[in-house]
Amino acid sequence: MTEETSNVKMVLEECKKKVYPIVMSALCDLRYPRVFSIPKKYKKEAKTHWKMVREYPKRKGKYIRPTLLVMMAQSMGKIDDSVYKLAAAMQLSEEWLLMHDDFEDGSILRRGKPAMHRMVGNELAVNTGDAIHVAMWGMLYDSVEGMESVVAGKIFREFNRMLTRTALGQAVEIGWMKKDKYDFDDDDWFFIADGKTSYYTVAGPMRLGALCVGADEDQLEVIARFGMNLGRCFQLVDDILDVTGNFSGLKQMGGDIYEGKRTVILGHLLKNVESDTKDKLVAILDKSRDEKTADEVEWVMQNMKEKGSVEYAKTLAKKFAMEAVLIFEKEMSFVKEVESRKKLRSLIDFILQRDH
C-alpha cells in the first residue's frame, strides 16, 4: 500500500467515524402518535425488524459517497452538523439500494457476508430495504432543517434527480439482461454506468456538498462533468476487479458473469472472439446464475484476459481518470481549501488503483 493510498483510506475512515453514528441513529422506531406506539407484547417483533434494518449499515462500506460530499462542502468553506447529516442520508441511500440490487441480481455476498435475501428471504429483504429508504428521507429532511428554503429545495431536488437517474440505469440494465441483449457497445455501457455510478457515486454527492455552500449552476455543471469521468473510471475498475481480483473477499469473484451483467469487458470480448467461441460464450451467459458452473465462469474470465478485453477496460479507465484530473486542475478552482483539494486529488488516484 502506497503512502498516498494509506492517506486516502484514513480520510475515508475519518468520515466514517463521524457519519456512521448518525446513520445508525436513524434506524429505530420514531415517536409515533400514542395510539400507534408499540405495545409491550410486540417489542420482540419490532426488535427483530430493526436488527434486519441495521444489518447492512453495521457491515460498513467504504463511505466514498459521504466522504466526497463532506470534502466538497469543506473545500468550499462549510462543515457543520447539517453537512454530516446530509452525508448520512447519502450513505443510507447506498444501504437500501444495495439491498434491493442484491435481490434483483441474486447476489450471494455483500461486504463479506451473505446478501440479505439469502439470510431472510426475498420478501423481508425488500421490506428491510424499504425501511432504510424511508429512514433516508427522514435524515435528508433533518439535514436541511434550518437551511434557507431555496438551498433546502435545491438539495432535495438534486437528491431526487440523482436517485431517479440511478433507478433508470438499473431498469435498463435489468431489461437488457432479460432480453439477452448482446449487440451492445461502449455507449450503451456508458448510459447505464453514468446513472448507476457516475452520477450516484461521484457527481451527485459532490454536487450535494457544493449546494450546501451555495454553488452556482456553472460550478455544478463542472462537477457533473468531473463526476462523469471519475465515475466511469470507478465503474471500469470495479468491472476489472470482478475478473482479476477478489475484492479482498468481500464479493464473489466473477459475480458480473454469474449475474449476466453487460460490461465494457464483455462487450469487447463478444466483438473479438471467433464464431464458435462466441456461441459457447453466449450459451454460458444465457444460463441463470445457479446454472453457471465455476469452470464456465473461469473460462469466460480467461478469455477476457487473453483477448485483451481487460486491458481495453484498463486503458479506458486511465483515459477517464486523466480527463477527470484535467477538469479538476483547470476548471475547479472554486475548490479552494488546500487540504481538501489535496485529498480530492488523491482520491482520483485511489479510485484507479483500488483493490476492492
Side-chain angles (χ1 to χ4, degrees), residues 39 64 119 190 195 211 243 249 308 321-322 340:
I64 285 178
M119 293 176 62
F190 294 152
L211 282 168
V243 177
M322 289 174 62
S340 296

Side-chain angles (χ1 to χ4, degrees), residues 127 138 184:
N127 188 71
F184 64 97

Side-chain angles (χ1 to χ4, degrees), residues 257 269 273 276-284 293-306:
I257 300 166
L269 179 62
V273 291
D276 56 338
T277 303
K278 184 174 181 178
D279 289 343
K280 180 178 178 179
L281 175 60
V282 170
I284 292 171
T293 67
D295 286 344
E296 288 173 332
V297 172
E298 178 59 38
W299 178 85
V300 175
M301 291 192 292
Q302 191 59 38
N303 272 274
M304 287 174 167
K305 296 168 187 173
E306 291 175 359

Side-chain angles (χ1 to χ4, degrees), residues 12 14 23 29 37-38 49 54 58 77 81 90-92 123 136 160 165 173 177 181 207 218 226 234 250 256 329:
L12 293 170
E14 286 172 8
V23 167
D29 276 312
S37 61
I38 311 298
H49 167 70
R54 296 186 188 108
K58 283 175 69 175
D81 288 347
M90 189 73 233
Q91 184 60 35
L92 283 164
E123 299 85 356
M136 175 201 76
N160 179 257
R165 185 65 173 83
E173 182 174 60
M177 287 163 61
K181 178 181 171 68
R207 281 164 62 96
D218 288 341
F226 171 80
F234 183 98
L250 298 176
D256 287 345
E329 297 294 348

Side-chain angles (χ1 to χ4, degrees), residues 194-236:
D194 283 349
K196 292 189 61 178
T197 306
S198 298
Y199 196 174
Y200 176 68
T201 298
V202 184
M206 292 180 71
R207 281 164 62 96
L208 286 165
L211 282 168
C212 291
V213 196
D216 60 38
E217 287 302 319
D218 288 341
Q219 291 170 336
L220 293 171
E221 181 58 29
V222 172
I223 294 170
R225 288 191 290 107
F226 171 80
M228 181 191 75
N229 284 282
L230 189 56
R232 288 180 178 182
C233 173
F234 183 98
Q235 188 58 58
L236 282 162

Side-chain angles (χ1 to χ4, degrees), residues 89-191:
M90 189 73 233
Q91 184 60 35
L92 283 164
S93 74
E94 179 184 349
E95 307 299 350
W96 73 262
L97 281 170
L98 286 178
M99 201 168 290
H100 286 178
D101 189 67
D102 287 345
F103 161 61
E104 290 162 352
D105 292 342
S107 301
I108 293 176
L109 295 175
R110 175 58 62 187
R111 297 172 185 160
K113 296 181 180 179
M116 180 59 71
H117 65 282
R118 302 271 176 176
M119 293 176 62
V120 300
N122 296 341
E123 299 85 356
L124 281 173
V126 171
N127 188 71
T128 300
D130 291 343
I132 303 176
H133 188 175
V134 173
M136 175 201 76
W137 290 114
M139 182 57 68
L140 181 60
Y141 176 84
D142 289 345
S143 73
V144 301
E145 195 173 19
M147 288 185 183
E148 293 181 13
S149 60
V150 173
V151 175
K154 287 181 177 180
I155 288 172
F156 253 92
R157 283 192 291 273
E158 180 66 17
F159 214 98
N160 179 257
R161 273 194 297 263
M162 174 184 68
L163 291 180
T164 299
R165 185 65 173 83
T166 303
L168 171 61
Q170 179 76 343
V172 172
E173 182 174 60
I174 292 172
W176 285 352
M177 287 163 61
K178 285 185 174 295
K179 292 175 183 176
D180 294 329
K181 178 181 171 68
Y182 296 117
D183 59 334
F184 64 97
D185 56 25
D186 289 357
D187 285 340
D188 295 327
W189 181 86
F190 294 152
F191 178 70

